[in-house]
Amino acid sequence: MKISVIWTWYVWLIQAVWLAKIGYEINAIDIFEDKIEKLKSWVPTIFENGLEDLLKETLSNINFTTDKSCVVWSDIIFLCVWTPQDETWKTDLTYIKQAANDLKQILKWDEIVVIKSTVPAWTNKMIYELLWEKNPVVSNPEFLREWLAIEDFFAPDRIVLGFKTWESEENILKVLEVYKYFSEKNINVLKTNWQTAELIKYAANSFLATKITFINEIARLADKIWADIKDVSSWLGLDSRIWEKFLNAWIGYGWSCFPKDVKSLVHQFGENGLEWWIIKKVDEVNESQVNYFLEKITAKYSKDLHWKTIALFWVAFKPDTDDLRESRALILVKELLKMWATIKVFDYNSQALENFEKYSYSLSTWIRNFIPIVISKSFLDMTKNADFLVMTLEDKKVLAEDFSKVKENLKEKVIFDGKNILDKKEIKNMWFEYYWVGY
Ligand code: UDX
């Protein structure tokens, strides 16, 4: 079976590489020449654990190209196109429509088009109609986490496939054949209709976002009544109906998908004439969570941070990625700069730091000219001569840092930990003044 994957951006590249590993011949198509050239030379274009090795292993099965016309020899075409939000929270389908329009000119009639993009209800139907109703269209949402996408692809919790209700058995079997590797490993493969598959993706991400937001809200009460939020989370999680994952009270979720999928779901409620209650609040509470954390800083230092230098640890939205999109750290940086603080930044991921430097140039020139942002070489270097430390990262690597040196370096022995990563008792025993989310 010959497969094409259109767009090799972020987790969709993993789709191409993994299918090649399973043994399929893959055309991986992108519009950017430079990206394709890099991939041809085994250079990963995204940060993903194990991607370089996987590229080397599978390159003989993948044809990286910018030539869309090669899809014509494919049995299955995975359409993996970016679906961002517009300012009204409506999912912007411009790119996916454009890709479908391009395909329309090229396709014969029997190639199956599988939509991996996260799209609102009825989009698969719309694409089917756009393709003159001649090619089968299948909804197949992805649930891959950034950095862990290879691991997730290899061991998914489930595979969801949405077909049109009158899809032929032959076409259904063809798509199931692609995922035979997984069904043989007893991974559940759901066959359903288009809109069910589309909704499962939004419901999954919005539910996880809700779970995080719920515990973030509980953390605010924990702060007031001196209840240990880490204990609350872990003992809640022991209830098998609740489950321990995504119960960490931190500074709110960032990219990759939660903010945009929650917003899109709110929009879909409105479009269908429904009131929304929980989901809209999830977005609002999440947006306020970073301010809740910021208030801990301003409660101690007031809003005038004129002569303060802050060591800010971590800028990406989560560990092991260079992705800054909707990172809570960026929101924090903007707010701290407004209060005239000087900021020293460090991130273990040098690419994330480079991206941050580029981002800082997008800030208004008066900020760049008057308030320096210093990019540090190491964690300890960042803390040197800083007044206090703000942490926005849940990466356990930081636990190996020498906090006795941090104590020597910081002018004031104060830490604000937005990811509750440090051991409260240990750090307090070292005579740090320690603030975190939830008491
Ligand atoms: C997410 C989904 O997990 C994945 O299934 C989906 O398809 C894409 O979006 P990703 O955004 O890569 O994946 O990372 P994830 O590990 O899910 O974390 C998302 C955000 O939630 C991060 O900002 C993280 O810090 C935050 N988070 C996570 C919490 O605030 N608390 C938690 O307990 C867990």
Side-chain angles (χ1 to χ4, degrees):
M1 186 171 332
K2 190 139 191 180
I3 295 176
S4 288
V5 176
I6 297 189
W7 277 32
T8 59
W9 202 41
Y10 275 107
V11 292
W12 299 311
L13 175 60
I14 309 303
Q15 177 83 14
V17 179
W18 247 103
L19 289 173
K21 179 164 168 89
I22 294 172
Y24 295 112
E25 270 182 72
I26 306 288
N27 287 314
I29 302 152
D30 207 291
I31 45 173
F32 298 108
E33 287 275 1
D34 56 336
K35 224 187 271 181
I36 290 297
E37 286 312 311
K38 274 189 180 168
L39 290 168
K40 275 182 181 166
S41 335
W42 308 330
V43 178
T45 46
I46 53 169
F47 261 96
E48 274 302 330
N49 196 9
L51 179 58
E52 195 173 347
D53 290 344
L54 207 54
L55 270 174
K56 283 183 185 157
E57 208 181 308
T58 56
L59 210 58
S60 57
N61 277 355
I62 312 183
N63 167 35
F64 282 111
T65 176
T66 50
D67 177 15
K68 277 189 216 127
S69 65
C70 66
V71 300
V72 81
W73 302 111
S74 307
D75 301 282
I76 308 243
I77 297 159
F78 282 96
L79 203 53
C80 309
V81 177
W82 173 230
T83 48
Q85 228 77 53
D86 71 14
E87 60 291 345
T88 66
W89 294 11
K90 189 177 162 76
T91 304
D92 180 358
L93 298 174
T94 315
Y95 302 111
I96 196 162
K97 278 191 198 160
Q98 201 177 317
N101 269 321
D102 289 349
L103 276 183
K104 183 158 79 174
Q105 317 300 331
I106 306 167
L107 295 184
K108 296 185 275 93
W109 56 274
D110 55 349
E111 302 95 335
I112 300 176
V113 177
V114 180
I115 313 273
K116 291 246 50 125
S117 310
T118 302
V119 288
W122 305 115
T123 306
N124 279 265
K125 179 171 181 287
M126 185 261 287
I127 300 289
Y128 176 65
E129 288 163 358
L130 219 152
L131 296 172
W132 292 314
E133 303 191 6
K134 61 185 175 66
N135 293 82
V137 171
V138 182
S139 168
N140 175 210
E142 53 83 14
F143 301 95
L144 309 178
R145 290 166 297 168
E146 271 187 47
W147 180 246
L148 299 171
I150 292 177
E151 191 182 311
D152 286 352
F153 191 92
F154 179 60
D157 292 325
R158 73 302 209 191
I159 288 164
V160 175
L161 297 170
F163 298 91
K164 64 178 181 289
T165 39
W166 62 99
E167 192 55 84
S168 73
E169 202 50 32
E170 190 194 342
N171 286 335
I172 294 177
L173 288 175
K174 244 193 205 170
V175 180
L176 289 176
E177 175 70 23
V178 178
Y179 286 116
K180 203 170 95 193
Y181 173 89
F182 298 102
S183 49
E184 280 173 353
K185 291 187 158 33
N186 287 329
I187 286 161
N188 288 319
V189 180
L190 170 71
K191 281 183 292 166
T192 183
N193 63 25
W194 279 328
Q195 353 32 303
T196 308
E198 289 163 333
L199 185 56
I200 288 172
K201 169 71 194 245
Y202 283 104
N205 273 353
S206 301
F207 184 79
L208 292 172
T210 306
K211 207 173 168 189
I212 294 170
T213 306
F214 175 83
I215 202 67
N216 282 342
E217 198 159 24
I218 294 289
R220 298 184 191 194
L221 180 60
D223 255 338
K224 279 266 180 275
I225 63 171
W226 299 357
D228 187 316
I229 191 64
K230 273 191 175 173
D231 280 351
V232 173
S233 292
S234 43
W235 287 84
L236 258 182
L238 284 179
D239 185 327
S240 58
R241 294 165 304 174
I242 296 176
W243 184 230
E244 64 186 4
K245 293 196 174 156
F246 285 76
L247 269 185
N248 295 298
W250 292 334
I251 49 171
Y253 57 78
W255 211 250
S256 56
C257 288
F258 294 165
K260 101 178 163 62
D261 291 351
V262 166
K263 287 183 172 74
S264 173
L265 197 59
V266 170
H267 193 272
Q268 290 178 58
F269 267 74
E271 249 181 353
N272 285 285
L274 295 171
E275 289 284 356
W276 49 82
W277 306 106
I278 298 173
I279 314 291
K280 180 86 190 293
K281 276 286 164 216
V282 168
D283 185 75
E284 283 171 20
V285 175
N286 188 60
E287 288 305 313
S288 69
Q289 186 69 3
V290 70
N291 287 327
Y292 177 73
F293 179 65
L294 188 66
E295 277 163 21
K296 288 177 187 271
I297 302 174
T298 52
K300 178 160 174 64
Y301 289 107
S302 86
K303 288 193 176 173
D304 184 3
L305 296 172
H306 233 107
W307 305 109
K308 297 286 175 201
T309 298
I310 301 173
L312 181 80
F313 179 48
W314 207 258
V315 287
F317 87 98
K318 69 172 197 182
D320 297 313
T321 161
D322 63 336
D323 197 343
L324 309 188
R325 291 174 300 171
E326 302 230 14
S327 146
R328 301 295 100 179
L330 292 197
I331 302 177
L332 212 55
V333 165
K334 267 195 198 157
E335 292 305 315
L336 292 170
L337 286 176
K338 277 189 215 158
M339 296 173 201
W340 298 94
T342 300
I343 296 180
K344 290 179 82 181
V345 176
F346 177 67
D347 194 313
Y348 287 128
N349 187 321
S350 56
Q351 186 58 47
L353 273 183
E354 260 178 49
N355 291 347
F356 179 77
E357 201 163 10
K358 279 185 212 143
Y359 159 83
S360 72
Y361 285 108
S362 74
L363 295 168
S364 60
T365 29
W366 69 264
I367 287 184
R368 287 293 311 170
N369 291 339
F370 295 105
I371 311 170
I373 296 175
V374 182
I375 309 282
S376 304
K377 290 187 195 70
S378 68
F379 185 81
L380 285 180
D381 176 44
M382 170 191 64
T383 55
K384 248 178 234 157
N385 294 324
D387 287 274
F388 58 93
L389 170 65
V390 176
M391 313 220 316
T392 59
L393 168 75
E394 67 263 35
D395 191 335
K396 294 213 162 64
K397 283 200 282 286
V398 75
L399 301 178
E401 298 289 350
D402 185 346
F403 275 81
S404 57
K405 290 231 170 72
V406 172
K407 201 174 151 195
E408 279 168 28
N409 285 351
L410 290 177
K411 286 192 214 152
E412 299 175 38
K413 318 303 169 198
V414 181
I415 300 178
F416 296 90
D417 179 359
K419 293 284 172 98
N420 296 358
I421 185 84
L422 300 178
D423 185 305
K424 183 168 64 171
K425 272 197 196 120
E426 252 176 52
I427 215 81
K428 283 186 172 173
N429 284 344
M430 292 179 78
W431 296 103
F432 277 105
E433 198 176 323
Y434 180 60
Y435 298 88
W436 66 352
V437 181
Y439 176 73

